[in-house]
mmCIF file of all heavy atoms in Angstrom:
data_model
loop_
_atom_site.group_PDB
_atom_site.id
_atom_site.type_symbol
_atom_site.label_atom_id
_atom_site.label_comp_id
_atom_site.label_asym_id
_atom_site.label_seq_id
_atom_site.Cartn_x
_atom_site.Cartn_y
_atom_site.Cartn_z
ATOM 1 N N LEU N 9 2.270 23.195 6.796
ATOM 2 C CA LEU N 9 3.206 24.333 6.938
ATOM 3 C C LEU N 9 2.652 25.362 7.928
ATOM 4 O O LEU N 9 1.594 25.930 7.680
ATOM 5 C CB LEU N 9 3.460 24.978 5.581
ATOM 6 C CG LEU N 9 3.915 24.047 4.470
ATOM 7 C CD1 LEU N 9 4.214 24.820 3.201
ATOM 8 C CD2 LEU N 9 5.100 23.214 4.900
ATOM 9 N N ALA N 10 3.399 25.542 9.024
ATOM 10 C CA ALA N 10 2.864 26.431 10.045
ATOM 11 C C ALA N 10 3.980 27.199 10.734
ATOM 12 O O ALA N 10 3.880 27.571 11.895
ATOM 13 C CB ALA N 10 2.102 25.623 11.089
ATOM 14 N N ALA N 11 5.046 27.454 10.032
ATOM 15 C CA ALA N 11 6.199 28.093 10.671
ATOM 16 C C ALA N 11 6.237 29.608 10.465
ATOM 17 O O ALA N 11 6.937 30.323 11.148
ATOM 18 C CB ALA N 11 7.502 27.507 10.156
ATOM 19 N N GLY N 12 5.456 30.076 9.511
ATOM 20 C CA GLY N 12 5.507 31.485 9.126
ATOM 21 C C GLY N 12 5.076 32.409 10.265
ATOM 22 O O GLY N 12 4.355 32.031 11.150
ATOM 23 N N LYS N 13 5.537 33.642 10.171
ATOM 24 C CA LYS N 13 5.276 34.587 11.234
ATOM 25 C C LYS N 13 3.832 35.114 11.162
ATOM 26 O O LYS N 13 3.210 35.407 12.169
ATOM 27 C CB LYS N 13 6.246 35.765 11.105
ATOM 28 C CG LYS N 13 6.135 36.778 12.225
ATOM 29 C CD LYS N 13 7.423 37.593 12.299
ATOM 30 C CE LYS N 13 7.475 38.457 13.558
ATOM 31 N NZ LYS N 13 6.860 39.731 13.460
ATOM 32 N N ARG N 16 1.225 39.811 8.491
ATOM 33 C CA ARG N 16 0.058 40.611 8.159
ATOM 34 C C ARG N 16 -1.076 40.517 9.189
ATOM 35 O O ARG N 16 -2.013 41.296 9.192
ATOM 36 C CB ARG N 16 -0.459 40.218 6.773
ATOM 37 C CG ARG N 16 0.474 40.623 5.640
ATOM 38 C CD ARG N 16 0.212 39.890 4.347
ATOM 39 N NE ARG N 16 0.789 38.567 4.317
ATOM 40 C CZ ARG N 16 0.750 37.734 3.272
ATOM 41 N NH1 ARG N 16 0.125 38.114 2.163
ATOM 42 N NH2 ARG N 16 1.303 36.544 3.325
ATOM 43 N N LYS N 23 0.228 32.821 13.627
ATOM 44 C CA LYS N 23 -0.994 32.916 12.798
ATOM 45 C C LYS N 23 -1.908 31.701 12.942
ATOM 46 O O LYS N 23 -3.123 31.838 13.070
ATOM 47 C CB LYS N 23 -0.611 33.121 11.339
ATOM 48 C CG LYS N 23 -1.800 33.092 10.391
ATOM 49 C CD LYS N 23 -1.472 33.694 9.047
ATOM 50 C CE LYS N 23 -0.658 32.768 8.177
ATOM 51 N NZ LYS N 23 -0.483 33.347 6.818
ATOM 52 N N VAL N 24 -1.292 30.487 12.897
ATOM 53 C CA VAL N 24 -2.136 29.299 12.846
ATOM 54 C C VAL N 24 -2.895 29.041 14.153
ATOM 55 O O VAL N 24 -3.748 28.157 14.221
ATOM 56 C CB VAL N 24 -1.325 28.033 12.476
ATOM 57 C CG1 VAL N 24 -0.785 28.170 11.073
ATOM 58 C CG2 VAL N 24 -0.203 27.772 13.495
ATOM 59 N N VAL N 52 5.230 21.604 10.360
ATOM 60 C CA VAL N 52 6.457 22.398 10.337
ATOM 61 C C VAL N 52 6.202 23.663 11.149
ATOM 62 O O VAL N 52 5.317 24.455 10.826
ATOM 63 C CB VAL N 52 6.873 22.753 8.896
ATOM 64 C CG1 VAL N 52 8.182 23.547 8.898
ATOM 65 C CG2 VAL N 52 7.017 21.505 8.042
ATOM 66 N N GLN N 73 11.512 24.616 11.626
ATOM 67 C CA GLN N 73 12.132 25.446 10.599
ATOM 68 C C GLN N 73 12.550 26.732 11.341
ATOM 69 O O GLN N 73 11.714 27.592 11.594
ATOM 70 C CB GLN N 73 11.127 25.767 9.478
ATOM 71 C CG GLN N 73 11.738 26.522 8.325
ATOM 72 C CD GLN N 73 10.682 27.204 7.450
ATOM 73 O OE1 GLN N 73 9.541 27.409 7.861
ATOM 74 N NE2 GLN N 73 11.077 27.578 6.249
ATOM 75 N N GLU N 75 14.542 29.230 10.692
ATOM 76 C CA GLU N 75 14.499 30.489 9.932
ATOM 77 C C GLU N 75 13.457 30.297 8.858
ATOM 78 O O GLU N 75 13.492 29.273 8.160
ATOM 79 C CB GLU N 75 15.862 30.700 9.269
ATOM 80 C CG GLU N 75 16.677 31.838 9.800
ATOM 81 C CD GLU N 75 17.908 32.037 8.938
ATOM 82 O OE1 GLU N 75 18.584 31.033 8.671
ATOM 83 O OE2 GLU N 75 18.150 33.162 8.525
ATOM 84 N N GLN N 76 12.596 31.247 8.691
ATOM 85 C CA GLN N 76 11.525 31.059 7.709
ATOM 86 C C GLN N 76 11.954 31.604 6.357
ATOM 87 O O GLN N 76 11.783 32.783 6.057
ATOM 88 C CB GLN N 76 10.251 31.716 8.194
ATOM 89 C CG GLN N 76 9.554 30.910 9.298
ATOM 90 C CD GLN N 76 10.145 31.123 10.673
ATOM 91 O OE1 GLN N 76 10.208 32.236 11.146
ATOM 92 N NE2 GLN N 76 10.583 30.044 11.310
ATOM 93 N N LEU N 77 12.506 30.696 5.546
ATOM 94 C CA LEU N 77 13.036 31.125 4.251
ATOM 95 C C LEU N 77 12.100 30.774 3.083
ATOM 96 O O LEU N 77 12.543 30.784 1.945
ATOM 97 C CB LEU N 77 14.420 30.532 4.044
ATOM 98 C CG LEU N 77 15.457 30.845 5.126
ATOM 99 C CD1 LEU N 77 16.797 30.183 4.820
ATOM 100 C CD2 LEU N 77 15.671 32.358 5.270
ATOM 101 N N GLY N 78 10.880 30.481 3.393
ATOM 102 C CA GLY N 78 9.907 30.211 2.322
ATOM 103 C C GLY N 78 9.282 28.836 2.440
ATOM 104 O O GLY N 78 9.723 27.983 3.188
ATOM 105 N N THR N 79 8.206 28.646 1.675
ATOM 106 C CA THR N 79 7.414 27.396 1.784
ATOM 107 C C THR N 79 8.199 26.187 1.313
ATOM 108 O O THR N 79 8.043 25.091 1.858
ATOM 109 C CB THR N 79 6.098 27.529 0.964
ATOM 110 O OG1 THR N 79 6.401 28.038 -0.335
ATOM 111 C CG2 THR N 79 5.110 28.432 1.648
ATOM 112 N N HIS N 81 11.492 25.818 1.546
ATOM 113 C CA HIS N 81 12.428 25.630 2.646
ATOM 114 C C HIS N 81 11.723 24.902 3.784
ATOM 115 O O HIS N 81 12.304 24.018 4.444
ATOM 116 C CB HIS N 81 12.963 26.993 3.081
ATOM 117 C CG HIS N 81 14.000 26.973 4.146
ATOM 118 N ND1 HIS N 81 13.736 27.304 5.442
ATOM 119 C CD2 HIS N 81 15.308 26.627 4.101
ATOM 120 C CE1 HIS N 81 14.833 27.176 6.163
ATOM 121 N NE2 HIS N 81 15.817 26.762 5.372
ATOM 122 N N ALA N 82 10.476 25.258 4.045
ATOM 123 C CA ALA N 82 9.687 24.634 5.129
ATOM 124 C C ALA N 82 9.480 23.137 4.857
ATOM 125 O O ALA N 82 9.610 22.304 5.749
ATOM 126 C CB ALA N 82 8.346 25.339 5.268
ATOM 127 N N CYS N 101 -1.172 24.105 3.691
ATOM 128 C CA CYS N 101 -0.794 25.233 4.511
ATOM 129 C C CYS N 101 -1.621 25.258 5.788
ATOM 130 O O CYS N 101 -2.816 24.921 5.761
ATOM 131 C CB CYS N 101 -1.017 26.546 3.750
ATOM 132 S SG CYS N 101 0.129 26.735 2.363
ATOM 133 N N GLY N 102 -1.023 25.666 6.847
ATOM 134 C CA GLY N 102 -1.750 25.729 8.133
ATOM 135 C C GLY N 102 -2.733 26.884 8.193
ATOM 136 O O GLY N 102 -3.479 26.994 9.156
ATOM 137 N N ASP N 103 -2.776 27.708 7.158
ATOM 138 C CA ASP N 103 -3.641 28.910 7.222
ATOM 139 C C ASP N 103 -4.804 28.824 6.220
ATOM 140 O O ASP N 103 -5.389 29.832 5.862
ATOM 141 C CB ASP N 103 -2.806 30.168 6.968
ATOM 142 C CG ASP N 103 -2.203 30.246 5.557
ATOM 143 O OD1 ASP N 103 -2.277 29.263 4.808
ATOM 144 O OD2 ASP N 103 -1.646 31.325 5.217
ATOM 145 N N THR N 104 -5.176 27.593 5.803
ATOM 146 C CA THR N 104 -6.331 27.431 4.903
ATOM 147 C C THR N 104 -7.371 26.566 5.625
ATOM 148 O O THR N 104 -7.531 25.394 5.303
ATOM 149 C CB THR N 104 -5.932 26.812 3.581
ATOM 150 O OG1 THR N 104 -5.147 25.642 3.835
ATOM 151 C CG2 THR N 104 -5.100 27.741 2.733
ATOM 152 N N GLY N 138 -3.155 38.485 -4.188
ATOM 153 C CA GLY N 138 -2.388 37.919 -3.068
ATOM 154 C C GLY N 138 -2.040 36.424 -3.244
ATOM 155 O O GLY N 138 -1.215 35.926 -2.495
ATOM 156 N N TYR N 139 -2.662 35.760 -4.175
ATOM 157 C CA TYR N 139 -2.390 34.335 -4.368
ATOM 158 C C TYR N 139 -1.398 34.108 -5.528
ATOM 159 O O TYR N 139 -1.256 34.955 -6.418
ATOM 160 C CB TYR N 139 -3.708 33.586 -4.737
ATOM 161 C CG TYR N 139 -4.677 33.529 -3.587
ATOM 162 C CD1 TYR N 139 -5.693 34.457 -3.464
ATOM 163 C CD2 TYR N 139 -4.617 32.501 -2.641
ATOM 164 C CE1 TYR N 139 -6.623 34.387 -2.410
ATOM 165 C CE2 TYR N 139 -5.503 32.427 -1.607
ATOM 166 C CZ TYR N 139 -6.500 33.381 -1.498
ATOM 167 O OH TYR N 139 -7.402 33.301 -0.464
ATOM 168 N N GLY N 140 -0.802 32.941 -5.530
ATOM 169 C CA GLY N 140 0.007 32.523 -6.681
ATOM 170 C C GLY N 140 -0.919 32.191 -7.827
ATOM 171 O O GLY N 140 -1.980 31.570 -7.628
ATOM 172 N N ILE N 153 3.689 28.016 -11.284
ATOM 173 C CA ILE N 153 2.912 28.960 -10.480
ATOM 174 C C ILE N 153 3.777 30.190 -10.266
ATOM 175 O O ILE N 153 4.954 30.097 -9.989
ATOM 176 C CB ILE N 153 2.533 28.321 -9.127
ATOM 177 C CG1 ILE N 153 1.448 27.242 -9.374
ATOM 178 C CG2 ILE N 153 2.015 29.385 -8.158
ATOM 179 C CD1 ILE N 153 1.260 26.342 -8.230
ATOM 180 N N GLU N 155 4.025 33.760 -8.189
ATOM 181 C CA GLU N 155 3.517 34.531 -7.059
ATOM 182 C C GLU N 155 3.125 35.925 -7.544
ATOM 183 O O GLU N 155 3.715 36.464 -8.467
ATOM 184 C CB GLU N 155 4.591 34.639 -5.972
ATOM 185 C CG GLU N 155 4.885 33.329 -5.250
ATOM 186 C CD GLU N 155 3.626 32.678 -4.725
ATOM 187 O OE1 GLU N 155 2.954 33.259 -3.812
ATOM 188 O OE2 GLU N 155 3.281 31.573 -5.176
ATOM 189 N N ILE N 169 -6.047 30.299 -9.160
ATOM 190 C CA ILE N 169 -5.026 30.481 -8.131
ATOM 191 C C ILE N 169 -4.611 29.158 -7.481
ATOM 192 O O ILE N 169 -5.334 28.165 -7.539
ATOM 193 C CB ILE N 169 -5.505 31.446 -7.024
ATOM 194 C CG1 ILE N 169 -6.808 30.919 -6.397
ATOM 195 C CG2 ILE N 169 -5.698 32.856 -7.567
ATOM 196 C CD1 ILE N 169 -6.759 30.829 -4.918
ATOM 197 N N ASN N 170 -3.406 29.216 -6.921
ATOM 198 C CA ASN N 170 -2.858 28.068 -6.201
ATOM 199 C C ASN N 170 -3.415 28.045 -4.783
ATOM 200 O O ASN N 170 -3.285 29.015 -4.036
ATOM 201 C CB ASN N 170 -1.325 28.205 -6.152
ATOM 202 C CG ASN N 170 -0.663 27.256 -5.171
ATOM 203 O OD1 ASN N 170 -1.211 26.186 -4.854
ATOM 204 N ND2 ASN N 170 0.514 27.654 -4.690
ATOM 205 N N ALA N 171 -4.055 26.918 -4.410
ATOM 206 C CA ALA N 171 -4.647 26.818 -3.075
ATOM 207 C C ALA N 171 -3.589 26.613 -2.000
ATOM 208 O O ALA N 171 -3.869 26.703 -0.820
ATOM 209 C CB ALA N 171 -5.652 25.661 -3.057
ATOM 210 N N GLY N 172 -2.372 26.312 -2.434
ATOM 211 C CA GLY N 172 -1.319 26.033 -1.444
ATOM 212 C C GLY N 172 -1.434 24.621 -0.913
ATOM 213 O O GLY N 172 -0.906 24.289 0.127
ATOM 214 N N TYR N 174 -1.130 20.486 -2.121
ATOM 215 C CA TYR N 174 -0.550 19.697 -3.202
ATOM 216 C C TYR N 174 -0.382 18.230 -2.764
ATOM 217 O O TYR N 174 -0.262 17.937 -1.589
ATOM 218 C CB TYR N 174 0.868 20.160 -3.567
ATOM 219 C CG TYR N 174 1.144 21.617 -3.443
ATOM 220 C CD1 TYR N 174 1.300 22.222 -2.216
ATOM 221 C CD2 TYR N 174 1.230 22.423 -4.596
ATOM 222 C CE1 TYR N 174 1.560 23.595 -2.099
ATOM 223 C CE2 TYR N 174 1.478 23.790 -4.480
ATOM 224 C CZ TYR N 174 1.648 24.360 -3.206
ATOM 225 O OH TYR N 174 1.918 25.708 -3.123
ATOM 226 N N GLU N 196 12.828 34.163 -1.398
ATOM 227 C CA GLU N 196 12.436 32.963 -0.639
ATOM 228 C C GLU N 196 12.555 31.714 -1.480
ATOM 229 O O GLU N 196 12.548 31.767 -2.711
ATOM 230 C CB GLU N 196 10.993 33.102 -0.196
ATOM 231 C CG GLU N 196 10.797 34.091 0.941
ATOM 232 C CD GLU N 196 9.345 34.124 1.430
ATOM 233 O OE1 GLU N 196 8.498 33.360 0.906
ATOM 234 O OE2 GLU N 196 9.076 34.916 2.354
ATOM 235 N N TYR N 198 10.600 29.025 -2.815
ATOM 236 C CA TYR N 198 9.170 28.794 -3.056
ATOM 237 C C TYR N 198 8.914 27.302 -3.328
ATOM 238 O O TYR N 198 9.498 26.744 -4.230
ATOM 239 C CB TYR N 198 8.699 29.520 -4.314
ATOM 240 C CG TYR N 198 8.570 31.031 -4.242
ATOM 241 C CD1 TYR N 198 8.411 31.759 -5.419
ATOM 242 C CD2 TYR N 198 8.553 31.750 -3.031
ATOM 243 C CE1 TYR N 198 8.255 33.141 -5.403
ATOM 244 C CE2 TYR N 198 8.428 33.129 -3.022
ATOM 245 C CZ TYR N 198 8.263 33.822 -4.196
ATOM 246 O OH TYR N 198 8.115 35.160 -4.193
ATOM 247 N N LEU N 199 8.011 26.741 -2.600
ATOM 248 C CA LEU N 199 7.565 25.368 -2.877
ATOM 249 C C LEU N 199 6.965 25.279 -4.287
ATOM 250 O O LEU N 199 7.107 24.277 -4.974
ATOM 251 C CB LEU N 199 6.526 24.916 -1.840
ATOM 252 C CG LEU N 199 5.854 23.584 -2.049
ATOM 253 C CD1 LEU N 199 6.867 22.448 -2.047
ATOM 254 C CD2 LEU N 199 4.793 23.333 -0.989
ATOM 255 N N THR N 200 6.321 26.360 -4.669
ATOM 256 C CA THR N 200 5.626 26.366 -5.950
ATOM 257 C C THR N 200 6.591 26.156 -7.135
ATOM 258 O O THR N 200 6.161 25.667 -8.179
ATOM 259 C CB THR N 200 4.905 27.719 -6.119
ATOM 260 O OG1 THR N 200 5.809 28.750 -5.699
ATOM 261 C CG2 THR N 200 3.678 27.783 -5.242
ATOM 262 N N VAL N 224 -10.642 27.434 -0.413
ATOM 263 C CA VAL N 224 -9.168 27.599 -0.445
ATOM 264 C C VAL N 224 -8.727 28.912 0.182
ATOM 265 O O VAL N 224 -7.540 29.222 0.142
ATOM 266 C CB VAL N 224 -8.640 27.457 -1.889
ATOM 267 C CG1 VAL N 224 -9.114 26.186 -2.516
ATOM 268 C CG2 VAL N 224 -9.017 28.671 -2.717
ATOM 269 N N GLY N 226 -7.054 31.536 1.994
ATOM 270 C CA GLY N 226 -5.865 31.537 2.857
ATOM 271 C C GLY N 226 -5.936 32.736 3.776
ATOM 272 O O GLY N 226 -6.252 33.848 3.338
ATOM 273 N N ILE N 227 -5.671 32.524 5.064
ATOM 274 C CA ILE N 227 -5.774 33.625 6.026
ATOM 275 C C ILE N 227 -4.422 34.294 6.175
ATOM 276 O O ILE N 227 -3.488 33.699 6.715
ATOM 277 C CB ILE N 227 -6.214 33.100 7.416
ATOM 278 C CG1 ILE N 227 -7.420 32.157 7.303
ATOM 279 C CG2 ILE N 227 -6.498 34.257 8.364
ATOM 280 C CD1 ILE N 227 -8.624 32.731 6.651
ATOM 281 N N ASN N 228 -4.330 35.516 5.683
ATOM 282 C CA ASN N 228 -3.077 36.255 5.855
ATOM 283 C C ASN N 228 -3.279 37.470 6.751
ATOM 284 O O ASN N 228 -2.337 37.959 7.364
ATOM 285 C CB ASN N 228 -2.556 36.715 4.490
ATOM 286 C CG ASN N 228 -2.174 35.532 3.626
ATOM 287 O OD1 ASN N 228 -1.615 34.555 4.113
ATOM 288 N ND2 ASN N 228 -2.506 35.590 2.346
HETATM 289 C C1 UD1 O 501 1.323 30.652 -0.609
HETATM 290 C C2 UD1 O 501 1.738 30.213 -2.016
HETATM 291 C C3 UD1 O 501 0.752 30.795 -3.018
HETATM 292 C C4 UD1 O 501 -0.651 30.336 -2.680
HETATM 293 C C5 UD1 O 501 -1.005 30.678 -1.258
HETATM 294 C C6 UD1 O 501 -2.296 29.986 -0.887
HETATM 295 C C7 UD1 O 501 4.179 29.934 -2.082
HETATM 296 C C8 UD1 O 501 5.465 30.547 -2.480
HETATM 297 N N1 UD1 O 501 3.079 30.654 -2.296
HETATM 298 O O1 UD1 O 501 1.434 32.064 -0.547
HETATM 299 O O2 UD1 O 501 1.103 30.376 -4.340
HETATM 300 O O3 UD1 O 501 -1.580 30.948 -3.574
HETATM 301 O O4 UD1 O 501 -0.016 30.194 -0.346
HETATM 302 O O5 UD1 O 501 -2.796 30.407 0.350
HETATM 303 O O6 UD1 O 501 4.154 28.821 -1.569
HETATM 304 N N2 UD1 O 501 5.343 28.942 5.884
HETATM 305 C C9 UD1 O 501 6.297 28.269 6.572
HETATM 306 N N3 UD1 O 501 7.613 28.653 6.444
HETATM 307 C C10 UD1 O 501 7.991 29.631 5.624
HETATM 308 C C11 UD1 O 501 6.982 30.358 4.946
HETATM 309 C C12 UD1 O 501 5.669 29.981 5.067
HETATM 310 O O7 UD1 O 501 6.009 27.336 7.310
HETATM 311 O O8 UD1 O 501 9.211 29.924 5.577
HETATM 312 C C13 UD1 O 501 3.928 28.556 6.043
HETATM 313 C C14 UD1 O 501 3.085 29.643 6.655
HETATM 314 O O9 UD1 O 501 3.037 29.499 8.063
HETATM 315 C C15 UD1 O 501 1.714 29.393 6.042
HETATM 316 C C16 UD1 O 501 2.039 28.711 4.729
HETATM 317 O O10 UD1 O 501 3.365 28.283 4.811
HETATM 318 O O11 UD1 O 501 0.918 28.525 6.822
HETATM 319 C C17 UD1 O 501 1.886 29.655 3.543
HETATM 320 O O12 UD1 O 501 2.752 30.782 3.732
HETATM 321 P P1 UD1 O 501 2.280 32.258 3.395
HETATM 322 O O13 UD1 O 501 3.417 33.154 3.681
HETATM 323 O O14 UD1 O 501 0.980 32.517 3.958
HETATM 324 O O15 UD1 O 501 2.200 32.082 1.793
HETATM 325 P P2 UD1 O 501 1.315 32.936 0.802
HETATM 326 O O16 UD1 O 501 2.004 34.208 0.540
HETATM 327 O O17 UD1 O 501 -0.057 33.011 1.258
#
Side-chain angles (χ1 to χ4, degrees):
L9 306 184
K13 185 160 190 274
R16 290 163 280 183
K23 174 163 76 175
V24 295
V52 182
Q73 185 198 18
E75 248 187 311
Q76 285 81 57
L77 303 179
T79 48
H81 184 255
C101 291
D103 66 351
T104 50
Y139 292 95
I153 289 166
E155 291 307 297
I169 58 127
N170 166 26
Y174 326 76
E196 287 185 0
Y198 288 167
L199 174 61
T200 44
V224 308
I227 312 303
N228 296 320

